Amino acid sequence: MSTPPLASGHEGPHALRPLLDTVLEALDTGARARGGPLPAGGPEAVAARIRKAVGDVLPDRGDPHAVRTLVHAFAETAADPAHPLCAAHLHCPPLAVAAAADLAASALNPSLDSWDQAPGASELERLVAGALAREIHATGTPGTPDSLITTGGTESNQLALLLAREAHGGSVRLVCGANAHHSLPRAAWLLGLPEPVVVPAPRGTLDPDALDAALTRLSGPLLVAATAGTTDAGLIDPLPEIAAHCAAHGARLHVDAAYGGGLLFSGLHRTRLTGLDAADTVTLDLHKLGWQPVAAGLLAVRDNRDLTALRQRADYLNADDDTDAGLPDLLGRSLRTTRRPDVLKLAVTLKTLGRSGLGALVDQVCAHARQFAALVDAHPGFELHAPPLISTVLFRPTGATDTTVAAVRRALLTDGSAVLGRARLDGRLWLKATLLNPATGPDDLAALLHLAAASRATLVEGHTPR
């Protein structure tokens, strides 16, 4: 068997062209075979299809049709975020321009751990990281804003705690709301920090009075973590009040805006993030309200001097004489060493759509959420939790038990007809629709609610399937 061509080098794009046609065909046939937002049959059926397609994972002799076979199976058994009835998670349909840029990044395969592996990518990252940091921390705030490109909210939140710990000489205590993302207390555990202080969030958002009381009784260096866009209901903590309490008590402030940070692009919704620029660090995920392929996270810092804590020296990557001669030092831009150029898809998207184009997409999905909430509110068979703040709608069948709510969701998943999430709030279980597809139409929203109603109708209270 001949050696497969390389994606770059002298072969260049010519090696990709026939493979691209094969991949696009397999994506199309796989999606048509799936027929809906999720493959039908549940975990056992999906696993069986994948096992059949893969066969021997590492055969003695290679299969020249492996790309077609496995991409088809991959598409046939995928949860398709571009399908209007796939609305469970903060899992967006990626923009075509971003996916195309991601392919180019994979083909060229630079690694952002030394300049000689990524000459242009390193400068592109510097430009994009700076621009996005200034979008969060407006000109005139103390310090020079900057940002690091990460794999997402979990890595960004871990970095925020690490930078806070180092800024305070190696010790800091996390204070967060009961609504905080699970990655924050997990990061405190990972970094060997004291047990976090959890402040009540009685209405789904951090209580500022309870925060003030906690900061009053606590001593030592403190990091308050607020949330702008909770994963359960898309709620935003009262950032101005929280920032004021942090300033009064000398506490550092981090805002996890992995979800809600995309509102910055919208002239209509940007004001919901008032107070964000007071944060020392901010988490932002553009694989949510930025429509990027995973991964596309950022951690923005108000003062780039905080990033000196990440500096490392490895002679083969950033020798002193090389940096003195002007070669950029990239090793302090991440905790990772080998690092793919996720910046390219961000740069292409920002340049292609601009602030107005991205803002229009944000406005569309927020409008869809309001429309769906209105449908739920008008339906006698459903109860709406609250009007949506971003693009998440919580609802449940009227009079149903939590067991029935869970069963409705699982029934939809098993038959592959719709993908809804779940959230526990106010002591009850809710169905969750996270609307991140700008192409969703009114008929799609009506169909989503109809499927939930039909699933509920097939279940008899007390005799629900596992």
Side-chain angles (χ1 to χ4, degrees):
M1 180 180 294
S2 60
T3 302
L6 300 176
S8 55
H10 292 297
E11 292 291 339
H14 301 290
L16 287 172
R17 284 173 185 162
L19 291 173
L20 283 176
D21 290 340
T22 299
V23 165
L24 291 173
E25 179 191 2
L27 285 171
D28 182 56
T29 59
R32 283 192 277 112
R34 185 184 64 243
L38 201 72
E44 291 182 6
V46 170
R49 283 179 232 172
I50 287 292
R51 287 195 298 267
K52 181 179 179 181
V54 173
D56 188 352
V57 172
L58 184 61
D60 290 334
R61 296 182 62 82
D63 178 0
H65 303 296
V67 169
R68 176 181 284 106
T69 301
L70 294 185
V71 171
H72 174 97
F74 197 69
E76 184 184 3
T77 58
D80 182 5
H83 195 289
L85 301 183
C86 189
H89 302 286
L90 291 165
H91 179 199
C92 71
L95 292 163
V97 292
D102 212 29
L103 172 63
S106 294
L108 290 168
N109 205 32
S111 178
L112 281 149
D113 51 321
S114 67
W115 182 87
D116 57 340
Q117 298 176 79
S122 62
E123 177 62 13
L124 186 62
E125 183 177 78
R126 187 187 70 82
L127 292 172
V128 172
L132 290 172
R134 290 189 295 274
E135 195 70 19
I136 294 170
H137 293 107
T139 303
T141 56
T144 302
D146 198 356
S147 68
L148 303 178
I149 293 180
T150 71
T151 55
T154 294
E155 183 186 349
S156 295
N157 286 341
Q158 289 174 354
L159 277 170
L161 265 67
L162 174 63
L163 296 180
R165 187 189 72 180
E166 297 306 298
H168 288 294
S171 176
V172 72
R173 190 166 193 183
L174 173 65
V175 181
C176 62
N179 61 336
H181 192 264
H182 65 84
S183 62
L184 283 159
R186 192 178 192 189
W189 164 78
L190 183 67
L191 294 169
L193 300 178
E195 187 73 18
V197 175
V198 178
V199 176
R203 289 173 294 278
T205 57
L206 192 154
D207 183 341
D209 292 335
L211 174 65
D212 185 43
L215 295 178
T216 299
R217 72 172 185 271
L218 294 169
S219 60
L222 301 173
L223 171 67
V224 173
T227 306
T230 58
T231 54
D232 53 10
L235 303 178
I236 298 174
D237 286 341
L239 300 181
E241 294 93 330
I242 292 170
H245 289 317
C246 288
H249 292 279
R252 188 177 171 97
L253 175 60
H254 170 67
V255 177
D256 179 0
Y259 177 16
L263 298 177
L264 287 168
F265 300 120
S266 166
L268 185 61
H269 298 292
R270 184 185 177 100
T271 54
R272 293 181 179 177
L273 297 178
T274 298
L276 184 67
D277 59 353
D280 295 279
T281 51
V282 175
T283 287
L284 172 63
D285 273 4
L286 292 178
H287 52 239
K288 294 182 172 70
L289 284 182
W291 294 277
Q292 298 299 291
V294 174
L298 290 105
L299 177 71
V301 296
R302 185 171 59 182
D303 189 342
N304 64 358
R305 289 176 295 183
D306 281 351
L307 300 180
T308 59
L310 300 179
R311 287 179 181 169
Q312 289 289 314
R313 184 65 62 192
D315 191 69
Y316 76 106
L317 295 174
N318 59 353
D320 288 339
D321 57 312
D322 277 348
T323 55
D324 289 344
L327 296 186
D329 179 359
L330 308 183
L331 203 54
R333 302 290 302 176
S334 177
L335 291 179
R336 293 169 286 147
T337 303
T338 301
R339 192 159 56 87
R340 76 186 307 272
D342 289 314
V343 65
L344 180 60
K345 61 194 175 192
L346 301 181
V348 167
T349 299
L350 297 174
K351 187 74 172 175
T352 301
L353 275 71
R355 184 180 287 104
S356 62
L358 280 168
L361 296 181
V362 171
D363 294 346
Q364 284 177 318
V365 296
C366 290
H368 294 159
R370 293 194 300 272
Q371 292 164 13
F372 186 66
L375 289 176
V376 171
D377 203 32
H379 196 296
F382 287 99
E383 175 186 352
L384 177 69
H385 178 266
L389 192 62
I390 307 179
S391 66
T392 299
V393 180
L394 300 186
F395 65 109
R396 54 181 282 137
T398 303
T401 65
D402 285 356
T403 300
T404 297
V405 173
V408 166
R409 173 179 174 269
R410 285 194 295 272
L412 294 172
L413 297 180
T414 301
D415 66 25
S417 60
V419 190
L420 288 170
R422 56 185 284 164
R424 185 166 294 279
L425 208 62
D426 300 336
R428 293 195 291 169
L429 186 65
W430 300 83
L431 296 173
K432 178 173 70 169
T434 309
L435 300 165
L436 290 184
N437 189 342
T440 298
D443 290 345
D444 300 317
L445 298 174
L448 188 61
L449 192 60
H450 172 76
L451 286 168
S455 178
R456 167 68 176 91
T458 64
L459 300 173
V460 178
E461 197 73 53
H463 296 84
T464 54
R466 293 192 313 163

